[in-house]
Amino acid sequence: MAEQLTLSIIKPNAVAKNAIGAICGRFEQAGLQIVAARMLHMSLEQASAFYAEHQGKGFFDELVGFMTSGPVLVMALQGEDAIAKNRELMGATNPANAAPGTIRADFADSFTENAVHGSDAPETAEREIGFFFPDGICKRTR
Ligand code: RTP
Ligand code: MG
């Protein structure tokens, strides 16, 4: 598998419970490098644009309301097979189904407040990284 980039978001509930360090530690221990990071409190416009693929779905308003409820930490992660590796570390979307030891099993509060976001494909990762880091990232070469 090749070196990849993926976008990670530590969501407002995980930031509020002071879990940034614990979650970033899991990424680093798994060999993912943080190559961009930005803390921000998203506007309704930003969150709606970021989640445009989910517009019209039943959970959209709740999702956007939650994602704008407090600050988030947005990161680009780099590593071997980074997209799948990150999603494995995250666990299932619904924390009730998340395997023990995954980030969502340990830090999620509900289906909506599930602690983290991770890109689901290379094209999505490229769009999502460009969305939050339009000026580029510090991609590692060593
Ligand atoms: P994410 O995009 O956050 O990494 O998570 P995902 O791919 O596993 O889930 P996705 O289907 O893309 O949904 C995006 C986020 O919307 C919320 N959600 N709530 N209550 C519900 O039925 C429901 N379904 C989705 C979650 O916060 C999910 O991560
Ligand atoms: Mg998704």
Side-chain angles (χ1 to χ4, degrees):
M1 236 306 157
E3 186 89 350
Q4 284 180 330
L5 291 166
T6 191
L7 186 91
S8 167
I9 303 178
I10 301 184
K11 296 185 177 183
N13 69 309
V15 171
K17 63 173 81 166
N18 237 8
I20 288 176
I23 293 172
C24 289
R26 293 185 187 202
F27 296 147
E28 293 190 328
Q29 277 196 331
L32 295 174
Q33 296 182 312
I34 298 166
V35 296
R38 180 180 165 204
M39 193 143 195
L40 77 159
H41 191 145
M42 274 195 265
S43 66
L44 274 179
E45 290 69 28
Q46 271 176 312
S48 301
F50 180 73
Y51 281 118
E53 63 171 308
H54 295 306
Q55 225 141 24
K57 294 185 188 167
F59 61 83
F60 182 77
D61 287 350
E62 191 181 336
L63 174 62
V64 166
F66 164 57
M67 290 300 288
T68 58
S69 67
V72 297
L73 184 68
V74 185
M75 290 172 285
L77 306 177
Q78 180 181 343
E80 197 71 9
D81 207 8
I83 294 169
K85 195 178 270 182
N86 180 40
R87 289 185 72 91
E88 202 179 302
L89 293 170
M90 287 162 56
T93 309
N94 183 349
N97 303 324
T102 59
I103 295 169
R104 282 169 167 162
D106 292 340
F107 300 107
D109 292 296
S110 69
F111 203 153
T112 301
E113 302 198 9
N114 60 359
V116 281
H117 163 87
S119 307
D120 57 15
E123 311 72 52
T124 328
E126 196 176 336
R127 177 187 88 82
E128 293 178 349
I129 291 169
F131 184 92
F132 285 110
F133 301 103
D135 297 332
I137 59 173
C138 302
K139 216 173 148 177
R140 299 274 186 102
T141 52
R142 43 171 274 167

